[in-house]
Amino acid sequence: MNMDLGSAIVGAIIITICMLPFIMIGRSRKKKERKFIQALQNNANKHNCQINQQEVFGTFAIGMDEEHKTLFFSRSAKEKEEEQFVDLSNIKKCEVINTGRTFRNKNGDKNGTKTIIDKLELGFIPKAKDQPEIKWEFFNADISYQINGELHAMQKWATNINNLLSPKS
């Protein structure tokens, strides 16, 4: 009986040690997520807005106040925090800007080419022709080596933003 109790205790300790890194990573991720959400809320408060749609994704967070048609962005890159906002009432269209390179495969692949994404941005085209396009960078291959769902998130947000911009029939 003592042998079974000892084995159970050793097993429990080993399981705890193995799970500890995953628990720590999860806590760190949640803390980072709360920090991004707080940054979005603070930025929205500065502009008398309230975030009612948001998404935290890796090194950035994006949020929208649909009532005031305002979009907020918070990003952490190279030890630098960045916060931006766009008044969508001055924007004609939102688009995903995918900057990349295409290579020919030498290994006899069926399609023969491979595309590498260097940069992903959301571009905001203003209604006024004299205003410059606004770009928010979501991915840069010089900073992050691997794309991790940013393209899908940006396409979803561009669709949501353009739906908000288009007049209701």
Side-chain angles (χ1 to χ4, degrees):
M1 193 77 160
N2 279 342
M3 184 80 157
D4 290 342
L5 180 61
S7 295
I9 290 172
V10 169
I13 290 171
I14 290 172
I15 289 172
T16 302
I17 289 171
C18 290
M19 289 178 58
L20 199 57
F22 296 107
I23 293 168
M24 299 301 283
I25 289 169
R27 282 187 176 173
S28 174
R29 187 177 298 135
K30 289 287 185 194
K31 183 178 179 183
K32 193 175 183 181
E33 198 171 290
R34 282 192 300 272
K35 183 180 172 187
F36 272 126
I37 290 170
Q38 188 61 50
L40 285 177
Q41 290 292 347
N42 291 343
N43 197 4
N45 290 342
K46 288 179 202 172
H47 297 90
N48 297 317
C49 293
Q50 184 66 40
I51 303 289
N52 52 22
Q53 186 180 3
Q54 67 194 16
E55 184 173 10
V56 178
F57 213 85
T59 59
F60 67 86
I62 186 168
M64 183 186 321
D65 180 333
E66 292 175 2
E67 182 182 339
H68 292 100
K69 290 190 176 185
T70 309
L71 196 65
F72 299 92
F73 180 70
S74 180
R75 182 172 83 134
S76 177
K78 291 187 177 180
E79 308 296 322
K80 186 177 85 172
E81 302 295 322
E82 181 182 330
E83 290 183 1
Q84 298 179 27
F85 86 100
V86 169
D87 181 354
L88 295 173
S89 63
N90 299 322
I91 300 299
K92 178 171 65 174
K93 181 181 169 189
C94 176
E95 62 187 8
V96 175
I97 303 167
N98 183 342
T99 307
R101 298 170 277 151
T102 303
F103 295 98
R104 284 204 170 281
N105 283 342
K106 295 179 181 176
N107 60 0
D109 195 356
K110 289 179 184 175
N111 63 5
T113 61
K114 181 176 183 175
T115 301
I116 296 176
I117 296 173
D118 289 325
K119 191 185 282 190
L120 289 173
E121 299 169 299
L122 264 186
F124 301 95
I125 300 166
K127 289 178 182 176
K129 301 239 186 267
D130 62 335
Q131 295 294 315
E133 181 178 352
I134 299 165
K135 294 181 182 179
W136 289 354
E137 185 177 275
F138 282 66
F139 172 80
N140 187 326
D142 294 334
I143 297 169
S144 180
Y145 301 114
Q146 186 173 3
I147 195 161
N148 195 15
E150 289 89 345
L151 181 58
H152 177 70
M154 291 175 57
Q155 289 169 334
K156 179 184 89 172
W157 277 90
T159 300
N160 291 347
I161 292 164
N162 286 324
N163 287 341
L164 187 67
L165 295 175
S166 66
K168 308 286 186 251
S169 349

